[in-house]
Amino acid sequence: QENVDASKAWLSQQPDFHNNCTVYENHNIGYDPKNVEYWQRPAQTFWDRYSMELDSWRDQPLWCYVLDKYHIQPIPIGDTNALFREYWGRISRDGHRYSKENDAK
């Protein structure tokens, strides 16, 4: 609880913190590592605070703040099922066709 309280206190002290920022699930992140505006600066801001290990281990509130701070809105790709649905017609190099029947259950 102490670390959660520390997270809340630090966030509320930030002049650009908005308590209604959008929280995203962070299963996958695609980025251009050379992009200063959309990756390097936000990632450094995140890591500068997170690596201090003063706050909650939950990274979502801090990542929410960082995305909002830098006006970054991730591209929604749907739920996990949507990711797999898009590739059912893919053909491998040896001609094998992937289908729902090939999916592990």
Side-chain angles (χ1 to χ4, degrees), residues 30-36 38-40:
Y31 60 89
D32 175 359
K34 294 180 182 179
N35 188 308
V36 173
Y38 289 107
W39 179 250
Q40 291 179 4

Side-chain angles (χ1 to χ4, degrees), residues 20-72:
N20 63 346
C21 64
T22 303
V23 177
Y24 298 91
E25 265 187 284
N26 296 327
H27 290 277
N28 303 297
I29 298 176
Y31 60 89
D32 175 359
K34 294 180 182 179
N35 188 308
V36 173
E37 183 178 353
Y38 289 107
W39 179 250
Q40 291 179 4
R41 191 175 303 131
Q44 190 63 55
T45 298
F46 174 86
W47 189 247
D48 286 348
R49 181 63 190 184
Y50 191 76
S51 65
M52 295 172 75
E53 298 185 1
L54 298 173
D55 304 319
S56 168
W57 59 271
R58 298 295 306 229
D59 62 354
Q60 290 89 346
L62 180 58
W63 190 238
C64 174
Y65 163 69
V66 170
L67 293 177
D68 189 62
K69 175 182 181 68
Y70 291 104
H71 310 287
I72 297 171

